[in-house]
Amino acid sequence: MNQKNLKSINSFRRISLITVIAVYFLILVGGIVRSTGSGMGCPDWPKCFGSWVPPTSVNQLPNDYQEIYLEKRLQKNDRFVASLEKLGFANKAEEIRNDKSILVEEEFNATKTWIEYVNRLIGVIIGLLIILTVYKSFPLWSQDKAIPILSVGSLILVLFIGWIGSIVVSTNLLTWMITIHMLLALLLVCILIYIHFKAHHIGKEVKVRTEKSKRLSVILLIGFVLMIVQIVLGTQVREEIDQVATAMGNLLRGTWIEQLGFPFLIHRSYSLLLLGIHLLFIYKVYKYSLRNSGIFKLSQLLFIVIVFEILTGVGMAYFAIPAFLQPIHLLLGGLIIGIQFLLLLNLFDQNKLKIDTVSS
């Protein structure tokens, strides 16, 4: 490999890693937006109260600003509902059309507006980083065509995520739209991790997988799917908390948990199943004599993050859902998905595993 190609590869590795870290930071900020109830801090999109720089006082807005932005949101929802009907989702379109919660327009709150505005600014930075990733990927076409193709795909995905974000705002934070938005963000993380992983393995020979690596992959894949389900359950619990908080006027925070229903009980107990699956995975890694490998180190990191994820969940359950723990809990969930995915990629890379083919 000549010096020019090596320089291009190293440059791409740096920018792709920075982009992955930036997306995780955006997930953290998104959690702050959610925990502070700032999701509707800007009632329009991509602008905020019709301006690229939002107001700092309600005096900067017209007296009928709530009616103005409600009408704009409803017009956007009408277009979205029409699109859903054309795609064959008539029931979901009718559900949105009849959802009265969409008609609620929040009063201006400068703090919430600027929290949401900062969230959007970081989203713009992510977009610019992904554009740079695409640009840096083109010199690698001759080395691995999948890298520029996936990089362009990530750019298309981030634009789609931005559009979904606008629908989240226009539908006044519909729960299932928030869930889709979160899952798409995790998909983006996985694509970017895969791109970065491939850039680190340009020119390396891929060997045939062994039986032991296949067994580890199956265990971890089960944990990966279960974690995605857990995140979806978590969004349902979050929706229940929002409903309880609204009903209680955001008072008596310590009583919210006891008013939650079945989804919370499942979400809480489900974490022990996830812990057990990953303990089994680490045990198998240890049993297969991988204690000095990158796989084992990643497994340890995964286990630590899972434990902290459970602890933040316990903290919210027993300490009146402190707002600062909510974005941390969300970030740790995203990190678990990323580490699991990276481990799965490494399990497919026999140059890193070096597992012998003797049956255990």
Side-chain angles (χ1 to χ4, degrees):
M1 186 180 299
N2 60 46
Q3 194 66 26
K4 183 179 180 181
N5 286 342
L6 184 59
K7 185 177 179 181
S8 296
I9 292 170
N10 288 334
S11 177
F12 180 81
R13 288 171 179 169
R14 284 193 296 271
I15 190 61
S16 60
L17 179 60
I18 290 171
T19 305
V20 170
I21 294 171
V23 172
Y24 270 118
F25 182 67
L26 181 60
I27 290 174
L28 175 64
V29 174
I32 294 172
V33 170
R34 188 83 172 117
S35 66
T36 56
S38 304
M40 290 301 294
C42 295
D44 50 340
W45 191 97
K47 292 183 178 181
C48 186
F49 286 102
S51 175
W52 293 113
V53 179
T56 56
S57 170
V58 71
N59 297 328
Q60 297 172 259
L61 298 171
N63 292 332
D64 59 345
Y65 72 92
Q66 289 179 296
E67 290 80 5
I68 292 172
Y69 291 107
L70 174 60
E71 182 60 30
K72 289 183 178 181
R73 289 199 298 108
L74 292 179
Q75 289 175 3
K76 188 163 193 171
N77 285 344
D78 287 340
R79 294 193 294 270
F80 180 55
V81 165
S83 299
L84 286 176
E85 289 176 333
K86 289 178 182 178
L87 293 171
F89 299 101
N91 291 336
K92 186 58 68 175
E94 190 64 20
E95 179 185 324
I96 294 174
R97 186 180 286 116
N98 297 324
D99 192 333
K100 300 303 181 184
S101 68
I102 292 174
L103 302 177
V104 178
E105 190 69 25
E106 290 192 16
E107 293 184 3
F108 174 79
N109 181 300
T111 301
K112 292 183 178 181
T113 292
W114 278 85
I115 289 174
E116 170 60 14
Y117 181 65
V118 169
N119 179 48
R120 294 186 184 187
L121 285 180
I122 295 171
V124 171
I125 293 172
I126 299 296
L128 294 175
L129 284 172
I130 291 180
I131 290 172
L132 184 57
T133 299
V134 172
Y135 172 73
K136 293 285 188 179
S137 72
F138 289 140
L140 306 185
W141 178 266
S142 60
Q143 304 291 327
D144 189 338
K145 292 181 176 59
I147 291 177
I149 291 172
L150 288 170
S151 297
V152 172
S154 69
L155 178 59
I156 294 171
L157 179 58
V158 83
L159 292 173
F160 182 66
I161 291 173
W163 177 74
I164 290 293
S166 73
I167 300 299
V168 169
V169 171
S170 69
T171 56
N172 203 0
L173 311 179
L174 276 182
T175 308
W176 62 273
M177 288 301 304
I178 294 174
T179 301
I180 291 174
H181 197 244
M182 179 63 191
L183 292 177
L184 287 173
L186 293 176
L187 175 61
L188 177 63
V189 165
C190 288
I191 291 174
L192 292 172
I193 288 174
Y194 184 48
I195 291 170
H196 182 72
F197 179 85
K198 286 186 74 67
H200 268 282
H201 292 76
I202 288 178
K204 289 187 178 181
E205 180 184 358
V206 178
K207 299 179 182 179
V208 178
R209 298 178 67 209
T210 67
E211 285 302 315
K212 288 184 178 180
S213 67
K214 291 178 182 177
R215 294 172 197 167
L216 288 173
S217 297
V218 169
I219 296 171
L220 188 58
L221 188 58
I222 292 172
F224 183 77
V225 173
L226 290 177
M227 188 60 205
I228 292 174
V229 173
Q230 177 73 322
I231 287 174
V232 173
L233 287 171
T235 62
Q236 294 179 357
V237 172
R238 179 67 222 182
E239 172 62 16
E240 275 198 306
I241 291 173
D242 288 346
Q243 291 174 356
V244 170
T246 301
M248 302 288 290
N250 287 310
L251 300 174
L252 302 175
R253 198 179 185 97
T255 66
W256 293 359
I257 287 292
E258 63 191 45
Q259 298 184 54
L260 299 181
F262 198 56
F264 169 71
L265 298 177
I266 297 175
H267 184 67
R268 182 181 62 184
S269 303
Y270 199 84
S271 60
L272 298 178
L273 175 61
L274 280 169
L275 184 63
I277 287 288
H278 291 90
L279 279 173
L280 175 63
F281 176 76
I282 293 176
Y283 166 73
K284 289 291 185 181
V285 170
Y286 187 86
K287 185 178 179 180
Y288 294 161
S289 301
L290 295 172
R291 292 182 293 278
N292 297 318
S293 70
I295 294 290
F296 186 59
K297 292 176 182 177
L298 275 175
S299 301
Q300 289 178 308
L301 177 61
L302 176 60
F303 179 72
I304 291 170
V305 175
I306 289 173
V307 169
F308 274 100
E309 173 78 336
I310 292 173
L311 289 176
T312 56
V314 171
M316 287 192 291
Y318 289 95
F319 297 99
I321 319 177
F324 77 93
L325 279 182
Q326 294 174 49
I328 296 173
H329 191 67
L330 178 63
L331 175 63
L332 291 174
L335 283 173
I336 290 170
I337 290 290
I339 298 169
Q340 286 175 325
F341 187 68
L342 185 57
L343 272 166
L344 284 169
L345 292 176
N346 277 287
L347 285 168
F348 279 90
D349 177 26
Q350 298 306 295
N351 286 304
K352 283 187 175 291
L353 260 183
K354 298 180 181 177
I355 299 179
D356 61 55
T357 58
V358 179
S359 298
S360 59

